[in-house]
């Protein structure tokens, strides 16, 4: 690293420039990753909190299953409950609606969840923990309570009916709508008043049955909670678009770093030849160049990460933004790996440098 350190000090302007570019790309990737995580949470957090090993959706005659069109009658729920290996079946109704605080004309879009209280496997803070015990009561997620500006004991209006708020819990969302939990009977009535069928949207099933066989016999499909997210159209379109932009930024970072070090190594080809002529091995020169690239990447990525943490904390107050190792450290590690790959592509002029060139064989 002796030569690398001297070059970093001698041509610090060039290395500061490429470091600044890496920092800006890291900032862009970090912000897009945080925004992607925030939008994903506002799309699917309530679905991921449902109990069960698999979520069962209606299988349409053509195409993929969708939460928006899934409708499962009591006979389907009974068939799953009677299947060998099934331990519990929890029907869950999901319907979009508008709700308002009693006496207010300002209505907000919400997602109504019909849930039985005390369902088996209820995790602390999950959507099932919001389920009320009476038909004239509701449980609100933190987002719904904030949007409606109500607290426990207040009254809200949904589809022309007044309901009492008995609980306010975690910040749970479904398709960018805050969640309101109701009893199955109250949800069924609300769904029919809103033009729905009143039938469950999804079954949360625990156990170890023959998933494919039972699904084929009931016209349904069982998916893990994570894989079922593709049944939400908004989730697929948003995450797909943002993921493509993140992937393109990763590619740009590798291209920029590779181009910089390619030009740099070409400019110092003569110096590399001199080093080889006085006994430097190819391996030591390769380690020297990659170490130099790693230092530049570490400085740029570290600066970008600090900016993401600082600005991301501010952005989180106004945007659905998530700061976590998955949205900060993981993209940084990918940036470093791709940057080193780009720098490695510039090593050809080092490995093929001819020491005789430095000794004047061409003259």
């Amino acid at each position: 690293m002796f030569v690398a350190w001297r070059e970093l000090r001698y041509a610090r302007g060039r290395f500061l420039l490429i470091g600044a570019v890496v920092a800006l790309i890291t900032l862009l990737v970090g912000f897009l990753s945080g925004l992607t995580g925030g939008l994903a949470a506002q799309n699917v957090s309530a679905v991921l909190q449902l109990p069960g090993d698999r979520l069962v959706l209606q299988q349409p005659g053509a195409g993929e299953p969708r939460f928006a069109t899934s409708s499962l009658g009591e006979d389907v729920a009974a068939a799953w409950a009677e299947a060998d290996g099934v331990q519990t079946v929890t029907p869950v109704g999901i319907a979009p609606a508008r709700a308002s605080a009693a006496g207010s004309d300002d209505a907000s879009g919400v997602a109504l969840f019909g849930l039985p209280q005390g369902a088996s496997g209820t995790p602390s803070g999950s959507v099932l923990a919001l389920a009320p015990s009476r038909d004239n009561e509701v449980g609100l997620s933190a987002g719904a309570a904030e949007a409606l500006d109500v607290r426990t004991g207040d009254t809200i209006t949904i589809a022309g009916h007044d309901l009492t708020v008995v609980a306010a819990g975690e910040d749970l969302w479904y398709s960018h709508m805050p969640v309101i939990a109701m009893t199955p009977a109250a949800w069924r009535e609300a769904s029919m008043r809103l033009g729905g069928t009143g039938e469950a949207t999804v079954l949360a099933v625990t156990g170890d049955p023959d998933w494919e066989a039972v699904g084929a016999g009931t016209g349904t499909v069982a998916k893990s909670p994570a894989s079922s997210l593709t049944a939400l159209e908004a989730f697929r379109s948003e995450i797909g678009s943002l993921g493509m932009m993140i992937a393109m930024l990763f590619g740009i970072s590798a291209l920029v770093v590779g181009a910089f070090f390619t030009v740099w190594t070409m400019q110092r080809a003569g110096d590399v030849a001199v080093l080889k002529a006085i006994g430097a091995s190819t391996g030591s020169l390769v380690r020297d160049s990659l170490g130099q690239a790693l230092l530049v990447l570490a400085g740029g990525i570290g600066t970008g990460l600090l900016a993401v943490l600082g600005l991301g904390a501010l952005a989180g107050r106004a945007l659905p933004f998530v700061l976590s190792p998955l949205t900060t450290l993981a993209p940084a590690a990918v940036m470093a790996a791709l940057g080193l790959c780009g720098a490695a592509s510039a090593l050809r002029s080092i490995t093929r440098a001819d020491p005789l060139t430095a000794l004047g064989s061409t003259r």
Side-chain angles (χ1 to χ4, degrees), residues 21-318:
V21 172
V22 172
L24 287 175
I25 295 176
T26 303
L27 179 62
L28 286 174
V29 171
F31 256 86
L32 276 177
S33 299
L35 183 60
T36 301
L39 289 174
Q42 284 202 351
N43 240 327
V44 302
S45 58
V47 174
L48 292 177
Q49 289 292 345
L50 291 175
D53 301 317
R54 300 284 182 95
L55 299 182
V56 176
L57 295 165
Q58 181 185 22
Q59 176 63 61
E64 297 294 323
R66 295 285 184 269
F67 277 93
T69 58
S70 179
S71 180
L72 304 174
E74 294 182 358
D75 56 334
V76 176
W80 273 98
E82 294 170 359
D84 292 337
V86 172
Q87 298 175 0
T88 62
V89 175
T90 304
V92 179
I94 304 174
R98 295 183 66 80
S100 62
S104 174
D105 295 329
D106 296 330
S108 298
V110 297
L112 303 180
F113 272 56
L115 302 162
Q117 189 187 44
S120 176
T122 301
S124 176
S126 76
V127 64
L128 289 181
L130 296 177
S133 58
R134 300 178 180 177
D135 294 343
N136 64 341
E137 298 174 340
V138 290
L140 272 60
S141 65
E146 181 180 357
L148 299 175
D149 193 22
V150 295
R151 301 178 180 83
T152 301
D154 292 343
T155 302
I156 65 172
T157 301
I158 300 175
H161 282 224
D162 291 338
L163 302 161
T164 303
V165 178
V166 294
E170 298 293 321
D171 197 19
L172 300 172
W173 298 77
Y174 173 84
S175 288
H176 297 290
M177 294 180 291
V179 169
I180 293 181
M182 313 173 72
T183 63
W187 180 88
R188 189 178 303 109
E189 292 179 5
S191 173
M192 297 180 69
R193 288 196 302 270
L194 294 169
T197 63
E199 295 181 335
T201 304
V202 60
L203 303 178
V205 180
T206 59
D208 189 24
D210 187 339
W211 300 104
E212 294 185 2
V214 180
T218 57
T220 58
V221 59
K223 295 188 174 185
S224 65
S227 63
S228 71
L229 302 182
T230 57
L232 284 166
E233 294 184 0
F235 176 79
R236 291 200 304 174
S237 59
E238 285 180 355
I239 301 306
S241 300
L242 292 172
M244 182 178 297
M245 286 188 281
I246 293 173
M248 292 177 65
L249 284 174
F250 282 145
I252 290 172
S253 68
L255 182 63
V256 168
V257 174
F260 173 83
F261 281 101
T262 297
V263 174
W264 181 249
T265 52
M266 289 175 62
Q267 289 179 343
R268 65 191 186 110
D271 296 335
V272 171
V274 171
L275 290 171
K276 278 195 170 184
I278 62 177
S281 66
T282 299
S284 64
L285 292 174
V286 168
R287 289 192 296 271
D288 184 80
S289 296
L290 289 180
Q292 188 181 72
L294 184 59
L295 288 173
V296 174
L297 287 170
I301 292 174
T303 302
L305 271 181
L306 291 176
V308 169
L309 293 174
L311 298 177
L314 297 175
R317 301 176 183 177

